Amino acid sequence: MARRAESPAIGAAGGPPVSPLAEIACPDDWHVHFRDGDLLRSVVPETARHFARALVMPNLVPPVASAADASAYRRRILEAVPGGVEFEPLMTLYLTEETDPSDIEAAAVGETATAVKLYPAGATTNSGGGVRNFDLIDPVLEKLAEIGMPLCVHGEVADESVDIFDREAVFLDKVLDPIRRKHPELRVVLEHVTTKEGVDYVSSGGTGIAATITVHHLAINRNAMFSGGMRPHNFCRPVAKREHHREALLSAATGGGEKFFFGTDSAPHLKQHKEAAVACAGIFTATCAVPCLAQIFDDSGAIDRLESFASLNGARFYRVQPNAGKLILEKCESPVGYPDRILAGNDSVAVFDPGFAIRWRARRI
């Protein structure tokens, strides 16, 4: 079933609650893609329904590379937020080899941007303007370390000679660890971590590094891309890995530690671009991300740790207060229905199917 993004009926099924209401601080999404135009107007309400803040990725065409770009993009996002909904987009700047450190400092002082995003050139969607020679960004990294502004990294090498399932581990060894040794005061977020190696690196990396974990990498392993045939709507970058990597992510997310927090990496693409000979990388999860996450934590016996992962740990690392608003979670006696797609202009965007029933629904208060 398809629906318009503004429909209020989301998650209305599922019958009466079978458990007491769980109230948590309203979550943050510390990694989201909104795109632009019709797509932006369709997907922003999906994130704003359950999240009070979101860290918005800058990989548009052209990229969000300056404070002026970020301010203009933020205005377009706010125009797409439904009336009466409190939602704060936190902006990131796209790091290039030509980025001026003084521009970064000005954006930080003016609170125009919350973080800087590093894309290895060619690693993922709209990353062609990213970094090839990492030595050239040393002045920016020095400035980030000086002012305490986080560097968010897409943790994959773009080397086609490296197996796609190994690119995160190689990035840690060949790129990220040398950067952190050269700039020990740099605060780093390893975005959408997907491997046990990544979890171990962050866990042992001191207070200056943290990581986001997506709901889809908690829900699926790489088999989900090939179950009964090619499944383009389960293809993302970085790709889902083997089951033991998913288990490592699950332990990190539900384990109660402070270094891991929620970033959906919700990444919409029009259906025509996903169901194509060369499918776009990205999974759109915003519509069901929080209820799906609640189901995963519940199944792991860790529902009492959901608030830390979704609402507190990220705010702590980014040095902001937790949201004052609350989110109510209800566990229902039967599965809650979520749409399989949302409309966007003359096309649609497929909503993530985790492959299991979701018996949770959520609402902001």
Side-chain angles (χ1 to χ4, degrees):
M1 58 178 175
R3 65 175 191 87
R4 292 288 178 188
E6 63 270 17
S7 169
I10 183 73
V18 297
S19 67
L21 299 181
E23 181 178 296
I24 66 172
C26 200
D28 296 311
D29 184 350
W30 289 105
H31 183 128
V32 71
H33 297 269
F34 286 147
R35 313 306 187 198
D36 217 339
D38 286 344
L39 203 47
L40 177 144
R41 288 185 286 273
S42 292
V43 302
V44 165
E46 302 296 281
T47 291
R49 179 177 292 109
H50 293 151
F51 296 95
R53 292 180 296 218
L55 189 70
V56 183
M57 295 298 104
N59 57 330
L60 304 183
V61 179
V64 180
S66 69
D69 295 336
S71 294
Y73 189 30
R74 185 175 188 274
R75 286 193 295 272
R76 298 197 296 277
I77 294 168
L78 289 173
E79 289 171 356
V81 177
V85 175
E86 293 187 8
F87 177 74
E88 182 181 7
L90 304 174
M91 310 311 292
T92 57
L93 299 183
Y94 190 111
L95 179 58
T96 74
E97 294 173 2
E98 291 77 39
T99 297
D100 186 337
S102 63
D103 291 343
I104 299 297
E105 184 171 28
V109 171
E111 299 183 348
T112 306
T114 297
V116 169
K117 181 62 182 277
L118 166 59
Y119 290 104
T124 189
T125 302
N126 298 338
S127 62
V131 178
R132 290 179 169 81
N133 184 342
F134 294 94
D135 290 334
L136 295 179
I137 61 171
D138 271 348
V140 172
L141 301 184
E142 290 171 4
K143 179 57 67 176
L144 291 174
E146 175 188 331
I147 64 179
M149 193 178 202
L151 176 72
C152 300
V153 299
H154 181 104
E156 292 185 289
V157 295
D159 186 346
E160 292 293 330
S161 69
V162 178
D163 189 285
I164 194 168
F165 294 102
D166 297 331
R167 291 179 188 178
E168 181 172 288
V170 172
F171 179 87
L172 297 175
D173 183 49
K174 302 296 185 182
V175 180
L176 185 56
D177 196 57
I179 283 176
R180 295 187 64 235
R181 290 181 183 279
K182 186 183 293 187
H183 307 279
E185 301 304 314
L186 184 66
R187 301 174 65 240
V188 174
V189 180
L190 179 60
E191 299 282 14
H192 41 51
V193 61
T194 63
T195 61
K196 184 178 185 302
E197 290 88 344
V199 168
D200 291 345
Y201 183 83
V202 172
S203 297
S204 62
T207 59
I209 188 167
T212 56
I213 300 177
T214 77
V215 71
H216 52 276
H217 286 119
L218 291 173
I220 64 174
N221 61 30
R222 67 184 189 176
N223 288 339
M225 288 186 288
F226 311 107
S227 178
M230 179 61 69
R231 302 280 182 171
H233 295 292
N234 286 335
F235 169 56
C236 57
R237 294 292 302 269
V239 294
K241 305 299 195 299
R242 292 179 182 271
E243 177 62 9
H244 78 274
H245 293 297
R246 189 194 70 83
E247 292 172 349
L249 299 177
L250 186 61
S251 295
T254 62
E258 296 182 356
K259 303 193 74 174
F260 299 92
F261 43 87
F262 198 22
T264 65
D265 191 21
S266 183
H269 290 285
L270 295 177
K271 190 170 180 283
Q272 62 178 306
H273 297 149
K274 286 293 287 182
E275 298 177 2
V278 180
C280 293
I283 298 177
F284 177 68
T285 59
T287 302
C288 62
V290 171
C292 185
L293 186 70
Q295 186 67 56
I296 291 169
F297 271 65
D298 186 27
D299 290 344
S300 300
I303 197 67
D304 59 317
R305 295 176 178 173
L306 178 64
E307 182 178 46
S308 294
F309 179 73
S311 310
L312 305 180
N313 292 350
R316 184 182 298 111
F317 187 84
Y318 277 94
R319 298 173 179 172
V320 296
Q321 291 298 313
N323 295 304
K326 300 295 182 181
L327 187 82
I328 296 294
L329 292 164
E330 299 171 320
K331 186 178 181 181
C332 301
E333 61 182 10
S334 57
V336 177
Y338 293 92
D340 58 9
R341 60 193 175 106
I342 64 167
L343 300 180
N346 296 320
D347 205 333
S348 63
V349 178
V351 174
F352 176 59
D353 177 2
F356 52 77
I358 301 174
R359 289 183 166 82
W360 288 84
R361 62 189 175 200
R363 57 185 172 90
R364 290 179 61 178
I365 59 171

